[in-house]
């Protein structure tokens, strides 16, 4: 349980995961989808998710260098868990 809570700690983390559950995203896409997050917070949350093994970071070749983020299989397992939390919160 400690690993799970550690992976989701911090404000905004579940919203980043929510967007990644819809598919892989570039950093700029995430910034547009989550405009309330500062660059520092988004970078921190993505690094936290990668370190926890929930997301992976892929650098694409070419110029400019582009980075894509995707959930790992372990990260995709969070989908039903987070949906249950969001449903509970809506009730």
């Amino acid at each position: 349980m400690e690993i799970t809570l550690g992976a989701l700690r911090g404000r905004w983390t579940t919203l980043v995961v929510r967007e990644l559950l819809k598919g892989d995203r570039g950093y700029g896409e995430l910034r547009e989808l989550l405009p309330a997050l500062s660059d520092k917070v988004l970078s921190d949350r993505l690094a936290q998710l990668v370190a926890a093994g929930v997301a992976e970071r892929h650098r694409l070749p070419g110029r400019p260098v582009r980075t894509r983020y995707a959930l790992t299989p372990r990260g995709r397992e969070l989908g039903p868990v987070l949906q249950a939390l969001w449903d509970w919160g809506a009730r």
Side-chain angles (χ1 to χ4, degrees):
M1 182 154 151
E2 180 180 323
I3 293 170
T4 302
L5 294 177
L8 295 177
R9 80 181 187 299
R11 188 174 177 195
W12 308 109
T13 306
T14 57
L15 296 179
V16 174
V17 172
R18 178 192 69 191
E19 294 306 327
L20 292 175
L21 282 166
K22 298 174 186 175
D24 67 323
R25 304 272 190 222
Y27 183 87
E29 289 175 274
L30 289 167
R31 285 287 300 127
E32 287 179 24
L33 292 166
L34 302 166
L37 273 71
S38 69
D39 282 331
K40 180 182 180 345
V41 170
L42 179 57
S43 293
D44 288 351
R45 294 307 173 262
L46 288 168
Q48 169 189 325
L49 291 169
V50 169
V54 173
E56 33 190 29
R57 179 179 186 250
H58 302 281
R59 294 188 77 171
L60 303 176
R63 296 270 182 215
V65 174
R66 294 178 311 177
T67 304
R68 303 287 290 178
Y69 292 89
L71 292 178
T72 62
R74 182 176 179 205
R76 285 191 296 275
E77 290 176 0
L78 289 171
V81 174
L82 292 176
Q83 187 63 55
L85 284 172
W86 293 321
D87 292 345
W88 176 79
R91 287 192 299 270

Coordinates of all heavy atoms in Angstrom, one line a residue:
M1 N 0.8 -1.2 0.0 CA 0.0 0.0 0.0 C 0.9 1.2 0.0 O 0.5 2.2 -0.6 CB -0.9 0.0 1.2 CG -1.8 1.2 1.2 SD -3.3 0.8 2.1 CE -3.8 2.3 2.8
E2 N 2.0 1.2 0.7 CA 2.9 2.4 0.7 C 3.3 2.8 -0.7 O 3.4 3.9 -1.0 CB 4.1 2.0 1.6 CG 5.0 3.2 1.7 CD 6.2 2.8 2.6 OE1 6.0 2.1 3.6 OE2 7.3 3.3 2.3
I3 N 3.6 1.8 -1.5 CA 4.1 2.1 -2.9 C 2.9 2.8 -3.6 O 3.1 3.8 -4.3 CB 4.5 0.8 -3.6 CG1 5.8 0.3 -3.0 CG2 4.7 1.1 -5.1 CD1 6.2 -1.1 -3.5
T4 N 1.7 2.3 -3.5 CA 0.6 2.9 -4.2 C 0.3 4.3 -3.8 O 0.2 5.2 -4.6 CB -0.7 2.1 -3.9 OG1 -0.5 0.8 -4.4 CG2 -1.9 2.7 -4.7
L5 N 0.3 4.6 -2.5 CA 0.1 5.9 -2.0 C 1.2 6.8 -2.4 O 1.0 8.0 -2.7 CB -0.1 5.9 -0.5 CG -1.4 5.2 0.0 CD1 -1.4 5.2 1.5 CD2 -2.6 5.9 -0.6
G6 N 2.5 6.3 -2.3 CA 3.6 7.1 -2.7 C 3.5 7.5 -4.2 O 3.9 8.6 -4.6
A7 N 3.1 6.6 -5.1 CA 3.0 6.9 -6.5 C 1.9 8.0 -6.8 O 2.0 8.7 -7.8 CB 2.6 5.6 -7.3
L8 N 0.9 8.1 -5.9 CA -0.2 9.0 -6.2 C -0.1 10.2 -5.3 O -1.0 11.1 -5.3 CB -1.5 8.3 -6.0 CG -1.8 7.2 -7.0 CD1 -3.1 6.5 -6.7 CD2 -1.8 7.7 -8.4
R9 N 0.9 10.4 -4.5 CA 1.0 11.5 -3.6 C 1.1 12.8 -4.3 O 1.6 12.9 -5.4 CB 2.1 11.3 -2.6 CG 3.5 11.7 -3.1 CD 4.6 11.5 -2.1 NE 5.8 12.0 -2.5 CZ 6.6 11.6 -3.5 NH1 6.1 10.6 -4.3 NH2 7.8 12.0 -3.7
G10 N 0.7 13.8 -3.7 CA 0.8 15.2 -4.3 C -0.4 15.6 -5.0 O -1.1 14.8 -5.7
R11 N -0.7 16.9 -4.9 CA -1.9 17.4 -5.6 C -1.6 17.4 -7.1 O -0.5 17.6 -7.5 CB -2.0 18.9 -5.1 CG -3.2 19.6 -5.6 CD -3.3 21.0 -5.0 NE -4.4 21.6 -5.5 CZ -4.6 22.9 -5.4 NH1 -3.8 23.7 -4.7 NH2 -5.7 23.5 -5.9
W12 N -2.6 17.1 -7.8 CA -2.6 17.0 -9.3 C -2.2 15.7 -9.8 O -2.4 15.5 -11.0 CB -1.8 18.1 -9.9 CG -2.1 19.5 -9.4 CD1 -1.3 20.3 -8.6 CD2 -3.2 20.3 -9.7 NE1 -1.8 21.5 -8.4 CE2 -3.0 21.5 -9.1 CE3 -4.4 20.1 -10.5 CZ2 -4.0 22.5 -9.1 CZ3 -5.3 21.1 -10.5 CH2 -5.1 22.3 -9.9
T13 N -1.6 14.8 -9.1 CA -1.1 13.6 -9.6 C -2.2 12.7 -10.3 O -2.0 12.2 -11.4 CB -0.4 12.7 -8.5 OG1 0.6 13.6 -7.9 CG2 0.3 11.5 -9.1
T14 N -3.3 12.6 -9.6 CA -4.4 11.8 -10.2 C -4.9 12.4 -11.5 O -5.3 11.7 -12.4 CB -5.6 11.6 -9.2 OG1 -6.0 12.9 -8.8 CG2 -5.1 10.8 -8.0
L15 N -4.8 13.7 -11.7 CA -5.3 14.4 -12.9 C -4.3 14.1 -14.0 O -4.7 13.9 -15.2 CB -5.5 15.9 -12.7 CG -6.6 16.3 -11.8 CD1 -6.6 17.8 -11.6 CD2 -7.9 15.7 -12.2
V16 N -3.0 14.0 -13.7 CA -2.0 13.7 -14.7 C -2.2 12.2 -15.2 O -2.3 11.9 -16.4 CB -0.6 13.8 -14.2 CG1 0.5 13.3 -15.2 CG2 -0.3 15.3 -13.9
V17 N -2.5 11.3 -14.2 CA -2.8 9.9 -14.5 C -4.0 9.8 -15.4 O -4.1 9.1 -16.3 CB -2.9 9.1 -13.3 CG1 -3.4 7.7 -13.6 CG2 -1.5 9.0 -12.5
R18 N -5.1 10.6 -15.0 CA -6.3 10.6 -15.8 C -6.0 10.9 -17.3 O -6.6 10.2 -18.1 CB -7.3 11.6 -15.2 CG -8.6 11.7 -16.0 CD -9.4 12.9 -15.7 NE -8.7 14.1 -16.1 CZ -9.1 15.3 -15.8 NH1 -10.1 15.5 -14.9 NH2 -8.5 16.4 -16.3
E19 N -5.2 11.9 -17.5 CA -4.9 12.2 -18.9 C -4.1 11.1 -19.6 O -4.3 10.9 -20.8 CB -4.2 13.6 -19.0 CG -5.1 14.7 -18.6 CD -6.4 14.8 -19.3 OE1 -6.5 14.5 -20.5 OE2 -7.4 15.3 -18.6
L20 N -3.2 10.5 -18.9 CA -2.4 9.4 -19.5 C -3.2 8.2 -19.7 O -2.9 7.3 -20.5 CB -1.2 9.2 -18.6 CG -0.1 10.3 -18.6 CD1 1.0 10.0 -17.6 CD2 0.4 10.6 -20.0
L21 N -4.3 8.0 -18.9 CA -5.2 6.8 -19.1 C -5.9 6.9 -20.5 O -6.3 5.9 -21.1 CB -6.2 6.8 -18.0 CG -5.8 6.2 -16.7 CD1 -6.8 6.5 -15.6 CD2 -5.5 4.7 -16.8
K22 N -6.0 8.1 -21.0 CA -6.6 8.3 -22.3 C -5.6 8.0 -23.5 O -6.1 8.0 -24.6 CB -7.1 9.8 -22.5 CG -8.2 10.1 -21.4 CD -8.5 11.6 -21.5 CE -9.5 11.9 -20.4 NZ -9.7 13.4 -20.3
G23 N -4.4 7.9 -23.2 CA -3.4 7.6 -24.2 C -2.1 8.3 -23.9 O -2.0 9.2 -23.1
D24 N -1.0 8.0 -24.7 CA 0.2 8.7 -24.4 C 0.1 10.1 -24.8 O -0.6 10.5 -25.7 CB 1.4 7.9 -25.1 CG 1.3 8.0 -26.6 OD1 0.2 7.9 -27.2 OD2 2.4 8.1 -27.3
R25 N 0.9 10.9 -24.2 CA 0.8 12.4 -24.4 C 2.2 13.0 -24.3 O 3.1 12.5 -23.6 CB 0.0 13.0 -23.2 CG -1.3 12.5 -23.0 CD -2.3 13.3 -23.8 NE -3.7 12.9 -23.4 CZ -4.6 12.7 -24.3 NH1 -4.4 12.8 -25.6 NH2 -5.8 12.3 -23.9
G26 N 2.4 14.0 -25.1 CA 3.6 14.8 -25.0 C 3.5 15.8 -23.9 O 2.4 16.1 -23.4
Y27 N 4.6 16.4 -23.5 CA 4.6 17.3 -22.4 C 3.7 18.5 -22.7 O 2.9 19.0 -21.9 CB 6.0 17.8 -22.1 CG 6.1 18.7 -20.9 CD1 6.3 18.2 -19.6 CD2 6.1 20.1 -21.1 CE1 6.3 19.0 -18.5 CE2 6.2 20.9 -20.0 CZ 6.3 20.4 -18.7 OH 6.4 21.2 -17.6
G28 N 3.8 19.0 -23.9 CA 3.0 20.2 -24.3 C 1.5 19.9 -24.3 O 0.7 20.8 -23.9
E29 N 1.2 18.7 -24.7 CA -0.2 18.3 -24.6 C -0.7 18.3 -23.2 O -1.9 18.8 -22.9 CB -0.4 16.9 -25.2 CG -0.2 16.8 -26.7 CD -0.3 15.4 -27.1 OE1 0.7 14.7 -27.1 OE2 -1.4 14.9 -27.5
L30 N 0.1 17.8 -22.3 CA -0.3 17.8 -20.9 C -0.5 19.2 -20.3 O -1.4 19.5 -19.6 CB 0.6 16.9 -20.1 CG 0.6 15.4 -20.3 CD1 1.8 14.7 -19.7 CD2 -0.7 14.8 -19.8
R31 N 0.4 20.1 -20.8 CA 0.3 21.5 -20.3 C -1.0 22.1 -20.8 O -1.6 22.8 -20.0 CB 1.5 22.3 -20.8 CG 2.8 22.1 -20.2 CD 2.9 22.7 -18.8 NE 2.7 24.1 -18.8 CZ 1.9 24.7 -18.0 NH1 1.1 24.1 -17.2 NH2 1.7 26.0 -18.1
E32 N -1.4 21.8 -22.0 CA -2.7 22.4 -22.5 C -3.9 21.7 -21.8 O -4.8 22.4 -21.5 CB -2.8 22.1 -24.0 CG -1.8 23.0 -24.8 CD -1.9 22.7 -26.3 OE1 -3.0 22.2 -26.8 OE2 -1.0 23.0 -27.0
L33 N -3.8 20.4 -21.5 CA -4.9 19.8 -20.9 C -5.1 20.1 -19.4 O -6.2 20.0 -18.9 CB -4.8 18.2 -21.1 CG -4.9 17.7 -22.5 CD1 -4.4 16.3 -22.6 CD2 -6.3 17.8 -23.0
L34 N -4.0 20.5 -18.8 CA -3.9 20.8 -17.4 C -3.4 22.2 -17.1 O -2.3 22.4 -16.5 CB -3.1 19.7 -16.6 CG -3.6 18.3 -16.8 CD1 -2.5 17.3 -16.3 CD2 -4.9 18.1 -16.1
P35 N -4.1 23.2 -17.6 CA -3.5 24.6 -17.6 C -3.3 25.1 -16.1 O -2.5 26.1 -16.0 CB -4.5 25.4 -18.3 CG -5.8 24.6 -18.2 CD -5.4 23.2 -18.2
A36 N -3.9 24.6 -15.1 CA -3.8 25.0 -13.8 C -2.4 24.6 -13.2 O -2.0 25.2 -12.2 CB -4.9 24.5 -12.9
L37 N -1.7 23.7 -13.8 CA -0.4 23.2 -13.3 C 0.7 24.1 -13.8 O 0.7 24.4 -15.0 CB -0.2 21.8 -13.8 CG -0.7 20.7 -12.9 CD1 -2.2 20.6 -13.0 CD2 -0.1 19.4 -13.3
S38 N 1.6 24.4 -12.9 CA 2.8 25.1 -13.4 C 3.7 24.1 -14.1 O 3.6 22.9 -13.9 CB 3.5 25.8 -12.2 OG 4.0 24.8 -11.4
D39 N 4.7 24.6 -14.8 CA 5.7 23.7 -15.4 C 6.4 22.9 -14.4 O 6.6 21.7 -14.6 CB 6.7 24.5 -16.2 CG 6.1 25.0 -17.6 OD1 5.3 24.3 -18.1 OD2 6.6 26.0 -18.1
K40 N 6.8 23.5 -13.3 CA 7.5 22.8 -12.2 C 6.6 21.7 -11.7 O 7.1 20.6 -11.5 CB 7.9 23.8 -11.1 CG 8.7 23.1 -10.0 CD 9.1 24.0 -8.9 CE 9.8 23.4 -7.8 NZ 9.9 21.9 -7.6
V41 N 5.4 21.9 -11.4 CA 4.5 20.9 -10.8 C 4.3 19.8 -11.8 O 4.4 18.6 -11.4 CB 3.2 21.5 -10.3 CG1 2.2 20.4 -9.9 CG2 3.4 22.4 -9.2
L42 N 4.1 20.1 -13.0 CA 3.9 19.0 -14.0 C 5.1 18.2 -14.2 O 5.1 17.0 -14.2 CB 3.4 19.6 -15.4 CG 3.2 18.6 -16.5 CD1 2.2 17.5 -16.1 CD2 2.8 19.3 -17.8
S43 N 6.3 18.8 -14.3 CA 7.5 18.1 -14.4 C 7.8 17.2 -13.1 O 8.2 16.1 -13.3 CB 8.7 19.1 -14.5 OG 8.7 19.8 -15.7
D44 N 7.5 17.8 -12.0 CA 7.7 17.0 -10.7 C 6.7 15.8 -10.7 O 7.1 14.7 -10.3 CB 7.4 17.8 -9.5 CG 8.5 18.8 -9.2 OD1 9.6 18.8 -9.9 OD2 8.3 19.7 -8.3
R45 N 5.5 16.0 -11.1 CA 4.5 14.9 -11.0 C 4.9 13.8 -12.1 O 4.8 12.6 -11.8 CB 3.1 15.3 -11.3 CG 2.5 16.3 -10.3 CD 2.6 15.6 -8.9 NE 2.2 16.6 -7.8 CZ 3.0 17.3 -7.1 NH1 4.3 17.2 -7.3 NH2 2.6 18.2 -6.2
L46 N 5.3 14.2 -13.3 CA 5.7 13.2 -14.3 C 7.0 12.4 -13.8 O 7.0 11.2 -13.9 CB 6.0 13.9 -15.6 CG 4.7 14.4 -16.3 CD1 5.1 15.3 -17.5 CD2 3.9 13.2 -16.8
A47 N 7.9 13.1 -13.2 CA 9.1 12.4 -12.7 C 8.8 11.5 -11.6 O 9.3 10.4 -11.5 CB 10.1 13.5 -12.2
Q48 N 7.8 11.9 -10.7 CA 7.4 11.0 -9.6 C 6.7 9.8 -10.2 O 7.0 8.7 -9.7 CB 6.4 11.8 -8.8 CG 5.6 11.1 -7.8 CD 4.5 12.0 -7.2 OE1 4.7 13.2 -7.0 NE2 3.4 11.4 -6.9
L49 N 5.9 9.9 -11.2 CA 5.2 8.8 -11.8 C 6.2 7.8 -12.5 O 6.0 6.6 -12.4 CB 4.1 9.2 -12.7 CG 2.9 9.9 -12.1 CD1 2.0 10.6 -13.1 CD2 2.1 8.9 -11.2
V50 N 7.2 8.4 -13.2 CA 8.2 7.6 -13.8 C 9.0 6.8 -12.8 O 9.2 5.6 -12.9 CB 9.1 8.4 -14.7 CG1 10.3 7.6 -15.2 CG2 8.3 8.9 -15.9
A51 N 9.4 7.5 -11.7 CA 10.2 6.9 -10.6 C 9.4 5.7 -10.0 O 10.0 4.7 -9.5 CB 10.6 7.9 -9.6
A52 N 8.1 5.9 -9.9 CA 7.3 4.9 -9.2 C 7.0 3.7 -10.1 O 6.3 2.7 -9.7 CB 6.0 5.5 -8.7
G53 N 7.4 3.8 -11.4 CA 7.1 2.7 -12.3 C 5.6 2.8 -12.9 O 5.2 1.8 -13.5
V54 N 5.0 3.9 -12.7 CA 3.6 4.0 -13.1 C 3.5 4.6 -14.6 O 2.6 4.2 -15.3 CB 2.8 5.0 -12.2 CG1 1.4 5.3 -12.7 CG2 2.7 4.3 -10.8
A55 N 4.5 5.4 -14.9 CA 4.6 5.9 -16.3 C 6.0 5.7 -16.8 O 6.9 5.5 -16.1 CB 4.2 7.4 -16.2
E56 N 6.1 5.9 -18.1 CA 7.4 5.8 -18.8 C 7.6 7.0 -19.7 O 6.6 7.5 -20.2 CB 7.6 4.5 -19.5 CG 6.4 3.9 -20.1 CD 6.6 2.5 -20.7 OE1 7.5 1.7 -20.2 OE2 5.9 2.2 -21.6
R57 N 8.8 7.4 -19.8 CA 9.1 8.6 -20.6 C 9.9 8.1 -21.9 O 10.9 7.4 -21.8 CB 10.0 9.5 -19.8 CG 10.5 10.7 -20.4 CD 11.3 11.5 -19.4 NE 11.7 12.8 -19.9 CZ 12.9 13.1 -20.3 NH1 13.9 12.3 -20.2 NH2 13.1 14.3 -20.8
H58 N 9.4 8.6 -23.0 CA 10.1 8.2 -24.3 C 10.5 9.5 -25.0 O 9.7 10.4 -25.2 CB 9.1 7.5 -25.2 CG 8.6 6.2 -24.6 ND1 9.3 5.0 -24.5 CD2 7.4 6.0 -24.0 CE1 8.6 4.1 -23.9 NE2 7.4 4.6 -23.6
R59 N 11.8 9.5 -25.4 CA 12.3 10.7 -26.2 C 12.2 10.3 -27.6 O 12.7 9.2 -28.0 CB 13.7 11.0 -25.8 CG 13.8 11.5 -24.3 CD 15.2 12.0 -24.0 NE 15.3 13.3 -24.7 CZ 16.3 14.1 -24.5 NH1 17.3 13.8 -23.7 NH2 16.3 15.3 -25.1
L60 N 11.6 11.1 -28.4 CA 11.5 10.8 -29.8 C 12.6 11.5 -30.6 O 13.1 12.5 -30.2 CB 10.1 11.4 -30.3 CG 8.9 10.8 -29.6 CD1 7.6 11.5 -30.2 CD2 8.8 9.3 -29.8
P61 N 13.1 10.8 -31.6 CA 14.2 11.3 -32.4 C 13.8 12.6 -33.2 O 12.6 12.8 -33.4 CB 14.6 10.2 -33.3 CG 13.4 9.4 -33.4 CD 12.7 9.5 -32.1
G62 N 14.8 13.4 -33.5 CA 14.5 14.5 -34.4 C 14.7 15.8 -33.6 O 15.0 15.8 -32.4
R63 N 14.6 16.9 -34.3 CA 14.7 18.2 -33.8 C 13.4 19.0 -34.0 O 12.8 18.9 -35.1 CB 15.8 19.0 -34.4 CG 17.1 18.5 -34.2 CD 17.7 19.1 -32.9 NE 19.0 18.5 -32.7 CZ 19.5 18.3 -31.5 NH1 18.8 18.5 -30.5 NH2 20.7 17.8 -31.4
P64 N 12.8 19.6 -33.1 CA 13.3 19.6 -31.7 C 13.0 18.3 -31.0 O 12.2 17.5 -31.4 CB 12.4 20.7 -31.0 CG 11.2 20.7 -31.8 CD 11.6 20.4 -33.2
V65 N 13.7 18.1 -29.9 CA 13.6 16.8 -29.2 C 12.2 16.8 -28.6 O 11.7 17.9 -28.0 CB 14.6 16.7 -28.1 CG1 14.4 15.5 -27.2 CG2 16.0 16.6 -28.7
R66 N 11.5 15.8 -28.7 CA 10.1 15.6 -28.2 C 10.1 14.5 -27.2 O 10.8 13.5 -27.4 CB 9.1 15.4 -29.3 CG 9.0 16.6 -30.2 CD 8.0 16.4 -31.3 NE 8.3 15.1 -31.9 CZ 7.6 14.6 -32.9 NH1 6.6 15.2 -33.3 NH2 7.9 13.4 -33.4
T67 N 9.3 14.7 -26.2 CA 9.1 13.6 -25.1 C 7.7 13.2 -25.0 O 6.8 14.1 -25.0 CB 9.6 14.2 -23.8 OG1 11.0 14.6 -23.9 CG2 9.6 13.1 -22.7
R68 N 7.4 11.9 -25.0 CA 6.1 11.4 -24.8 C 6.1 10.6 -23.5 O 7.0 10.0 -23.1 CB 5.7 10.4 -25.9 CG 5.8 11.0 -27.3 CD 4.7 11.9 -27.6 NE 3.4 11.3 -27.7 CZ 2.3 12.0 -28.0 NH1 2.3 13.3 -28.2 NH2 1.1 11.4 -28.1
Y69 N 4.9 10.7 -22.8 CA 4.7 9.9 -21.6 C 3.6 9.0 -21.8 O 2.6 9.3 -22.5 CB 4.4 10.9 -20.4 CG 5.5 11.7 -20.1 CD1 5.8 13.0 -20.7 CD2 6.5 11.3 -19.1 CE1 6.8 13.8 -20.4 CE2 7.5 12.1 -18.8 CZ 7.7 13.3 -19.4 OH 8.8 14.1 -19.1
A70 N 3.7 7.8 -21.2 CA 2.7 6.7 -21.3 C 2.6 6.0 -20.0 O 3.6 5.9 -19.3 CB 2.9 5.8 -22.5
L71 N 1.5 5.5 -19.7 CA 1.4 4.6 -18.5 C 2.0 3.2 -18.8 O 1.9 2.7 -19.9 CB -0.1 4.5 -18.1 CG -0.7 5.7 -17.5 CD1 -2.2 5.4 -17.2 CD2 0.0 6.3 -16.3
T72 N 2.6 2.7 -17.8 CA 3.1 1.3 -17.9 C 1.9 0.4 -17.6 O 0.8 0.9 -17.2 CB 4.1 1.1 -16.8 OG1 3.5 1.3 -15.5 CG2 5.3 2.0 -16.9
P73 N 2.0 -0.9 -17.8 CA 0.9 -1.8 -17.5 C 0.4 -1.6 -16.0 O -0.7 -1.6 -15.7 CB 1.5 -3.2 -17.7 CG 2.5 -3.0 -18.8 CD 3.1 -1.6 -18.5
R74 N 1.4 -1.4 -15.1 CA 1.1 -1.2 -13.7 C 0.3 0.1 -13.6 O -0.7 0.2 -12.8 CB 2.4 -1.1 -12.9 CG 2.2 -0.9 -11.5 CD 3.5 -0.9 -10.8 NE 3.3 -0.7 -9.4 CZ 4.2 -0.2 -8.6 NH1 5.4 0.1 -9.0 NH2 4.0 0.0 -7.3
G75 N 0.6 1.2 -14.3 CA -0.1 2.4 -14.3 C -1.5 2.3 -14.8 O -2.4 2.9 -14.2
R76 N -1.7 1.5 -15.9 CA -3.0 1.3 -16.4 C -4.0 0.6 -15.4 O -5.2 0.8 -15.5 CB -3.0 0.6 -17.7 CG -2.4 1.5 -18.9 CD -2.6 0.9 -20.2 NE -1.8 -0.3 -20.4 CZ -0.5 -0.4 -20.8 NH1 0.1 0.7 -21.0 NH2 0.1 -1.5 -20.9
E77 N -3.4 -0.2 -14.5 CA -4.2 -0.8 -13.5 C -4.8 0.2 -12.5 O -5.8 -0.2 -11.8 CB -3.3 -1.8 -12.7 CG -2.9 -3.0 -13.5 CD -2.0 -4.0 -12.7 OE1 -1.7 -3.7 -11.5 OE2 -1.6 -5.0 -13.3
L78 N -4.3 1.4 -12.5 CA -4.9 2.4 -11.6 C -6.2 2.9 -12.2 O -7.0 3.6 -11.4 CB -3.9 3.6 -11.5 CG -2.7 3.4 -10.7 CD1 -1.7 4.6 -10.8 CD2 -3.1 3.2 -9.2
G79 N -6.5 2.7 -13.4 CA -7.8 3.2 -14.0 C -9.0 2.9 -13.2 O -9.7 3.8 -12.8
P80 N -9.3 1.6 -13.0 CA -10.5 1.3 -12.2 C -10.5 1.9 -10.8 O -11.5 2.2 -10.2 CB -10.6 -0.2 -12.2 CG -9.7 -0.7 -13.3 CD -8.6 0.4 -13.5
V81 N -9.3 1.9 -10.2 CA -9.2 2.4 -8.8 C -9.5 3.9 -8.8 O -10.3 4.3 -7.9 CB -7.7 2.2 -8.3 CG1 -7.6 2.8 -6.9 CG2 -7.4 0.7 -8.3
L82 N -8.9 4.6 -9.7 CA -9.2 6.1 -9.7 C -10.7 6.4 -10.1 O -11.3 7.3 -9.6 CB -8.2 6.8 -10.7 CG -6.8 6.8 -10.2 CD1 -5.9 7.4 -11.2 CD2 -6.7 7.5 -8.9
Q83 N -11.2 5.6 -11.0 CA -12.6 5.8 -11.4 C -13.5 5.6 -10.2 O -14.5 6.3 -10.0 CB -13.0 4.8 -12.6 CG -14.4 5.1 -13.1 CD -14.5 6.5 -13.7 OE1 -13.7 6.8 -14.6 NE2 -15.4 7.3 -13.3
A84 N -13.2 4.6 -9.4 CA -14.0 4.3 -8.2 C -13.9 5.5 -7.3 O -14.9 5.9 -6.7 CB -13.6 3.0 -7.5
L85 N -12.7 6.1 -7.1 CA -12.6 7.3 -6.3 C -13.4 8.5 -6.8 O -14.0 9.2 -6.1 CB -11.1 7.6 -6.1 CG -10.3 6.8 -5.2 CD1 -8.8 7.1 -5.3 CD2 -10.8 6.9 -3.8
W86 N -13.3 8.7 -8.1 CA -14.0 9.8 -8.7 C -15.5 9.6 -8.6 O -16.2 10.6 -8.4 CB -13.5 10.0 -10.2 CG -12.1 10.5 -10.3 CD1 -11.5 11.4 -9.5 CD2 -11.2 10.0 -11.3 NE1 -10.2 11.5 -9.9 CE2 -10.0 10.7 -11.0 CE3 -11.2 9.1 -12.3 CZ2 -8.8 10.5 -11.8 CZ3 -10.1 9.0 -13.1 CH2 -8.9 9.6 -12.8
D87 N -16.0 8.4 -8.8 CA -17.4 8.1 -8.7 C -17.8 8.4 -7.2 O -18.9 8.9 -7.0 CB -17.7 6.7 -9.1 CG -17.5 6.4 -10.6 OD1 -17.4 7.4 -11.3 OD2 -17.5 5.2 -10.9
W88 N -17.0 7.9 -6.3 CA -17.3 8.1 -4.9 C -17.4 9.6 -4.6 O -18.3 10.1 -3.9 CB -16.3 7.4 -4.0 CG -16.5 7.6 -2.6 CD1 -17.4 7.0 -1.7 CD2 -15.8 8.6 -1.7 NE1 -17.2 7.5 -0.4 CE2 -16.2 8.4 -0.4 CE3 -14.7 9.5 -2.0 CZ2 -15.7 9.2 0.6 CZ3 -14.2 10.2 -0.9 CH2 -14.7 10.1 0.4
G89 N -16.5 10.4 -5.1 CA -16.4 11.8 -4.8 C -17.6 12.5 -5.5 O -18.2 13.5 -4.9
A90 N -18.1 12.0 -6.6 CA -19.3 12.6 -7.3 C -20.6 12.4 -6.5 O -21.5 13.2 -6.6 CB -19.4 12.1 -8.7
R91 N -20.6 11.3 -5.7 CA -21.8 11.0 -4.9 C -21.8 11.8 -3.7 O -22.5 12.2 -3.0 CB -21.8 9.5 -4.6 CG -22.2 8.6 -5.8 CD -22.5 7.2 -5.3 NE -21.4 6.5 -4.7 CZ -20.5 5.8 -5.3 NH1 -20.5 5.7 -6.6 NH2 -19.5 5.3 -4.6

